[in-house]
Amino acid sequence: AQSVTQPDIHITVSEGASLELRCNYSYGATPYLFWYVQSPGQGLQLLLKYFSGDTLVQGIKGFEAEFKRSQSSFNLRKPSVHWSDAAEYFCAVVESGGSYIPTFGRGTSLIVHP
Amino acid sequence: DAGVIQSPRHEVTEMGQEVTLRCKPISGHDYLFWYRQTMMRGLELLIYFNNNVPIDDSGMPEDRFSAKMPNASFSTLKIQPSEPRDSAVYFCASSSQGVLGEQFFGPGTRLTVL
């Protein structure tokens, strides 16, 4: 069965430090890949998505993600974290040629220390 | 634009009661999605509509759940009868770019079934 794994439940970084959030998936073909952010008490907001082409994708708020087919990964990165980035981050996958129902990872909670 | 509007924001009810959650999508968006978020199962897509027509309801957990979209500006998710395991945050989202496009999420309805 298809699955999405975010191995880190919590990550703590200092403000100004770099960030990488991991996402791995298990699908037969290259799926459509997404990263969302959820601030406390709010709905999800799309950060970026990858369908095809350049494997390094730029998103909003200074985030980027890199698709690595050989590792079945789509890790999210930011070179310098701001306190306002503290939130829950979700990776989501949609199987290409399938029902277009997304499968979400369980999320990674980002804590930012001043 | 006011964004996606959901009501109520919080609902507490007793087991066996009927619960109706409401959503007003962003004007001009022709896709509407209902999600459920729980600690146990994470974020799940329940059903989505295109032009007021249900396209995929495979995520609806049981016959106790039903969703309607009588017009382009209003949708409901009904649970009858409600059970404690239905306690969750229910999100509505809308999009003008299809199932693979950016979805704009409402703030959610936190449902507690006692």
Side-chain angles (χ1 to χ4, degrees), chain B residues 9-29:
Chain B
R9 293 293 309 276
H10 301 273
E11 177 80 31
V12 180
T13 190
E14 293 187 347
M15 183 174 61
Q17 296 298 307
E18 177 181 301
V19 175
T20 299
L21 311 182
R22 298 173 175 80
C23 175
K24 176 179 170 57
I26 294 172
S27 177
H29 284 191

Side-chain angles (χ1 to χ4, degrees), chain A residues 32 34 36 38 41-46 49 51 60 88 90 94 99-106, chain B residues 9 35 37-45 48 56 58 91 97 99-103 105-107:
Chain A
Y32 304 112
F34 305 79
Y36 289 86
Q38 183 180 27
Q42 298 185 24
L44 278 67
Q45 181 183 22
L46 180 67
K49 61 185 178 183
F51 289 175
I60 63 171
E88 190 87 13
F90 293 91
V94 174
S99 64
Y100 297 112
I101 300 296
T103 299
F104 287 82
R106 298 308 300 274
Chain B
R9 293 293 309 276
Y35 290 87
Q37 186 177 38
T38 63
M39 291 295 294
M40 291 295 294
R41 300 176 64 89
L43 191 67
E44 305 170 283
L45 177 63
Y48 76 92
D56 194 317
S58 59
F91 289 102
Q97 303 169 1
V99 292
L100 298 179
E102 181 171 8
Q103 297 179 27
F105 282 73

Side-chain angles (χ1 to χ4, degrees), chain A residues 33 47-60 62-67 74-77:
Chain A
L33 301 160
L47 288 175
L48 48 78
K49 61 185 178 183
Y50 173 80
F51 289 175
S52 64
D54 191 345
T55 57
L56 185 62
V57 181
Q58 301 298 319
I60 63 171
F63 285 92
E64 66 179 25
E66 185 172 13
F67 168 61
F74 189 55
N75 294 349
L76 183 71
R77 301 194 295 247

Side-chain angles (χ1 to χ4, degrees), chain B residues 13-84:
Chain B
T13 190
E14 293 187 347
M15 183 174 61
Q17 296 298 307
E18 177 181 301
V19 175
T20 299
L21 311 182
R22 298 173 175 80
C23 175
K24 176 179 170 57
I26 294 172
S27 177
H29 284 191
D30 54 352
Y31 282 81
L32 184 138
F33 307 83
W34 281 101
Y35 290 87
R36 178 174 67 175
Q37 186 177 38
T38 63
M39 291 295 294
M40 291 295 294
R41 300 176 64 89
L43 191 67
E44 305 170 283
L45 177 63
L46 301 178
I47 184 172
Y48 76 92
F49 295 83
N50 177 218
N51 291 323
N52 313 335
V53 177
I55 303 301
D56 194 317
D57 65 354
S58 59
M60 296 286 266
E62 304 172 31
D63 291 344
R64 298 185 296 107
F65 286 69
S66 62
K68 294 182 179 180
M69 193 165 185
N71 57 63
S73 59
F74 183 66
S75 177
T76 60
L77 178 67
K78 183 179 294 185
I79 308 172
Q80 180 184 20
S82 59
E83 297 183 1

